[in-house]
Amino acid sequence: MKYNKYARILAWLALFIIVALIVLFLYCAFTGKNFFGSLFLIIVIPVIIWAILFFAGCFHEDKPDDENSESSSEEE
């Protein structure tokens, strides 16, 4: 399955945000500052990212792959 350029950029951005949240959470865990705030963010932000990507996939219309259908009919 090939993804377009924007989907790959958004996936990398989401991964970067999740890693940054984990680093922030570990920092807050050791220092004790805003621990519950970072705990909330580490749970809520990935869920929001997942929901956005899920609903974007639900509303995305799949176009039939004309290239494969033409090449398979030419082979016969």
Side-chain angles (χ1 to χ4, degrees):
M1 174 183 275
K2 291 186 177 181
Y3 294 102
N4 63 13
K5 181 179 176 181
Y6 299 111
R8 282 188 244 159
I9 290 171
L10 287 175
W12 278 105
L13 184 64
L15 184 63
F16 175 75
I17 290 171
I18 291 171
V19 169
L21 284 173
I22 291 171
V23 170
L24 174 72
F25 176 74
L26 290 174
Y27 171 77
C28 291
F30 286 117
T31 61
K33 298 179 181 178
N34 296 327
F35 175 73
F36 289 106
S38 64
L39 180 62
F40 175 76
L41 288 177
I42 206 166
I43 294 170
V44 171
I45 297 294
V47 171
I48 290 172
I49 291 172
W50 174 83
I52 290 170
L53 294 175
F54 177 77
F55 286 117
C58 287
F59 294 121
H60 181 265
E61 295 180 15
D62 291 331
K63 295 179 182 177
D65 194 9
D66 294 334
E67 295 175 4
N68 289 339
S69 61
E70 290 176 5
S71 64
S72 63
S73 62
E74 292 174 0
E75 293 174 1
E76 294 176 5

